[in-house]
Amino acid sequence: MAQTPVYDLLPPIRQICRGCHTTTMNEAYISAVRQFCHHTKWFLSTLAGTTAASTATYNLGSDAYSEIIGVNAISLTYSSSDIRDLERLSSAAWDPDAQTQVPEFFEYVPEAQFALHPTPDAAYPLTISLILQPKIGSNSIEEALVSKWDHAFRAGALEYLMRIPGMAWTDKSEANRQFMLFEDWKNRGASSAAKRNSVGVVPVQGWAGGLANRRPREVW
């Protein structure tokens, strides 16, 4: 995934919070992006893989910049003309006596795993839509996020920074205004994600840290 350094996104914040340390602004910006992603589930990526017979649980891998916070959707290719969307269902409702067969359901298993039910009886190609957020301590953000939602992240960062007590830029009234802006942006993001999902998942990028073109391994 193409990345934009957070440092390059800080000048508008620096103009308002004059004298604020770059590290503090960086952390505030990343925190805002993580809050946005967690709330909206907008940041998606794809992973291609294959089931293994008699294997129910799979590891989704890891990436240097982003972390997985959920699975948005999974489709299974049964044949060249039969692609099935699996249904999300809590494992508490799974039939413990089900025989191995073509899976119908999935559940996300923290951290960065998923389980299928019934347990696959053969190898089936999968396309997995992942929900992501930047890792804590990241120094860069995926370009698609920045190009669409930079104003949202800026509001979230400013809201945090303006609440730091005793700083020259501390302004509770303005912090409250930025909070309301950030909440509005998060609601817009959630609506955007819901609209996109209603017409079909269109992930931002392919998952750089996953198991694309390789068989997922079982999580023991």
Side-chain angles (χ1 to χ4, degrees):
M1 299 182 186
Q3 300 284 318
T4 298
V6 175
Y7 183 83
D8 294 345
L9 305 170
L10 298 180
I13 298 173
R14 187 176 289 110
Q15 287 296 317
I16 297 171
C17 301
R18 295 181 180 275
C20 184
H21 196 281
T22 298
T23 300
T24 302
M25 289 188 288
N26 188 102
E27 291 174 350
Y29 193 96
I30 291 294
S31 176
V33 180
R34 286 171 57 86
Q35 289 180 54
F36 180 89
C37 291
H38 186 81
H39 178 84
T40 66
K41 310 298 189 291
W42 188 88
F43 185 21
L44 303 181
S45 183
T46 52
L47 169 64
T50 308
T51 64
S54 302
T55 300
T57 308
Y58 299 86
N59 191 315
L60 292 164
S62 61
D63 177 76
Y65 302 103
S66 303
E67 62 188 17
I68 298 169
I69 58 174
V71 171
N72 184 59
I74 298 178
S75 62
L76 179 149
T77 301
Y78 182 68
S79 68
S80 59
S81 60
D82 186 357
I83 299 177
R84 308 178 181 186
D85 293 329
L86 303 189
E87 182 180 345
R88 187 193 311 273
L89 182 67
S90 169
S91 56
W94 292 359
D95 178 4
D97 298 321
Q99 302 297 309
T100 58
Q101 55 185 294
V102 181
E104 299 179 23
F105 307 104
F106 78 90
E107 181 180 48
Y108 175 67
V109 182
E111 304 285 341
Q113 303 166 39
F114 70 93
L116 301 176
H117 182 77
T119 300
D121 59 352
Y124 301 104
L126 298 174
T127 300
I128 307 143
S129 173
L130 308 175
I131 306 170
L132 308 178
Q133 68 182 10
K135 288 182 174 179
I136 294 175
S138 295
N139 291 312
S140 62
I141 301 294
E142 208 281 328
E143 284 184 0
L145 275 170
V146 173
S147 63
K148 190 169 181 67
W149 303 110
D150 178 51
H151 289 289
F153 308 150
R154 193 183 308 170
L158 285 171
E159 188 257 328
Y160 169 80
L161 293 171
M162 289 179 173
R163 294 192 191 281
I164 300 177
M167 297 293 107
W169 60 83
T170 300
D171 187 330
K172 184 177 180 180
S173 177
E174 181 61 19
N176 290 338
R177 189 180 80 86
Q178 294 295 335
F179 169 78
M180 295 305 297
L181 286 173
F182 190 38
E183 289 299 299
D184 181 57
W185 278 112
K186 287 193 293 184
N187 289 335
R188 291 190 204 181
S191 296
S192 175
K195 182 178 180 179
R196 176 187 58 196
N197 290 343
S198 70
V199 297
V201 175
V202 183
V204 174
Q205 292 275 358
W207 175 237
L211 300 169
N213 301 318
R214 291 185 287 166
R215 187 166 68 182
R217 62 183 175 84
E218 185 174 4
V219 178
W220 299 98

